[in-house]
Structures are given as C-alpha cells and as structure tokens.
C-alpha cells in the first residue's frame, strides 16, 4: 500500500466549499449569428432552424435558435481581456486548468496536481436565440474521495445552470472533475 492511499483529502476546509454557489455571470457578448453558424457546422447539424430566418419564424421557436449545448460554449475570454490562460504554460506547475474550476467559485484546497474531466450530464430546457444574452452560475454539489488503481482520486461534482438575461432556463449540466 502506497503512503498516499491513506491520505484523506476531504478535509473540513474542503467540506466547507460543498454547496458554494457563484453569482450569475453573463457571457461576454450576445449570441451572434456567425458563432451559431460555426457551432452547428461543427456539429454537422444543418437544421434550418439554426440559420434560415424565414423557416425559423414558422417554427414554435419564432426565430433562429442555436443548438441546445451552445450556451456552454458562450463563455470565452472577452476580446479585450489580456489574461491568456496559455501565458502560464511556462510554469511547470500549471496544467492548463484553473483550480477554481469555475469563475466565482472558491479555489479547491486539494493538493493534487492533475485534473481529468470525468464527464457531463445535461438537462435541456430551451434553445438560446441569436441576439440573446446568456448567463451562468455554478455550484459545488459534492466533493468526495475514491481509491483508484494508482492512488486516491478526489471527485468534484459541479452543477452549472444556464439561462437567458430575461430568466428563461436554457440548460443544467452536471460535471464530474477528477483530481489526482
């Protein structure tokens, strides 16, 4: 048995962040027709509700909408922001991922160096429309430890809620991040 197999990373400080929720954060800009086009083309889903205004007006959506998972990808670095996450690439301790997991959530006090995406679950409610503003808030739903073949793993379950600026729900996602 390795020494780190006995380490309990779920300390009182870690347990204290379970349930922490961020404020609503707005995407840097409204949904744009061009980014919607790139998104549905990348999905290889040319449904006319994503691009043909005349067709989309005849649907129950009343106008052009994005594919349902678009909201997740609306949160990128704003054009005027100079902080590029790749700028830290020269730091030998930087693995390309923020330890805060999501903007507005507290940093996780877990001294493990690697992060692996353990998967997503989605619940879709409605489609974002071109021109709408998208907001998101996140919460740590659970943090627990499991023993893997090569040592302990800390599982971090994060819920992200997406809605429009007028409060219409778009989707919820559950993401499990694995810290090793």
């Amino acid at each position: 048995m390795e020494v780190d197999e006995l380490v309990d990373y779920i300390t009182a400080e870690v347990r204290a962040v379970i349930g922490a929720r961020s404020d609503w954060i707005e995407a840097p800009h409204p949904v744009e027709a061009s980014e919607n086009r790139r998104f549905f083309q990348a999905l290889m889903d040319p449904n006319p509700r994503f691009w043909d205004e005349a067709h989309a007006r005849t649907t129950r959506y009343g106008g052009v909408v994005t594919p349902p998972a678009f909201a997740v990808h609306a949160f990128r670095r704003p054009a005027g922001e100079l902080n590029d996450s790749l700028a830290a690439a020269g730091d030998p301790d930087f693995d390309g991922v923020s330890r805060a997991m999501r903007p507005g959530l507290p940093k996780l006090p877990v001294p493990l160096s690697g992060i692996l995406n353990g998967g997503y679950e989605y619940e879709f409610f409605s489609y974002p429309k071109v021109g709408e503003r998208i907001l998101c808030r996140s919460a740590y739903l659970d943090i627990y430890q499991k023993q893997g073949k090569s040592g302990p793993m800390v599982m971090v379950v994060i819920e992200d809620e997406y809605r429009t600026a007028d409060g219409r729900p778009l989707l919820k996602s559950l993401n499990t991040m694995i810290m090793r």
Side-chain angles (χ1 to χ4, degrees):
M1 185 181 305
E2 294 182 17
V3 173
D4 66 351
E5 290 181 29
L6 304 174
V7 175
D8 185 3
Y9 291 105
I10 310 303
T11 63
E13 189 179 8
V14 170
R15 283 191 293 281
V17 301
I18 296 173
R21 184 175 300 279
S22 71
D23 291 331
W24 288 99
I25 298 169
E26 189 171 309
H29 53 80
V31 176
E32 297 171 349
S34 179
E35 65 185 357
N36 183 37
R37 176 191 52 80
R38 288 190 302 272
F39 195 80
F40 74 72
Q41 286 177 335
L43 295 174
M44 294 186 270
D45 185 353
N47 191 306
R49 74 173 170 250
F50 301 141
W51 59 271
D52 184 336
E53 186 62 46
H55 169 78
R57 275 195 305 272
T58 69
T59 68
R60 64 182 171 165
Y61 311 111
V64 170
V65 296
T66 72
F70 177 88
V72 175
H73 301 282
F75 290 81
R76 295 177 300 285
R77 183 168 53 104
E81 185 177 306
L82 299 177
N83 294 332
D84 184 350
S85 61
L86 294 178
D91 179 352
D93 294 324
F94 182 70
D95 64 1
V97 179
S98 165
R99 293 286 162 215
M101 301 287 187
R102 299 290 195 281
L105 288 180
K107 182 178 178 179
L108 289 177
V110 176
L112 294 171
S113 61
I115 294 182
L116 177 67
N117 184 345
Y120 283 89
E121 296 177 34
Y122 291 104
E123 183 177 5
F124 296 103
F125 303 112
S126 63
Y127 294 93
K129 295 179 181 178
V130 170
E132 287 188 307
R133 299 206 71 92
I134 297 174
L135 290 87
C136 176
R137 74 175 174 184
S138 302
Y140 289 127
L141 287 191
D142 198 6
I143 304 171
Y144 59 95
Q145 186 167 325
K146 291 177 97 173
Q147 187 61 35
K149 290 181 182 177
S150 61
M153 302 180 296
V154 173
M155 315 299 275
V156 181
V157 182
I158 302 169
E159 177 186 69
D160 297 311
E161 297 176 81
Y162 295 86
R163 71 176 193 192
T164 61
D166 65 359
R168 190 177 84 251
L170 297 172
L171 70 96
K172 272 189 187 181
S173 74
L174 286 181
N175 176 217
T176 301
M177 300 298 293
I178 304 166
M179 300 179 75
R180 298 191 36 96

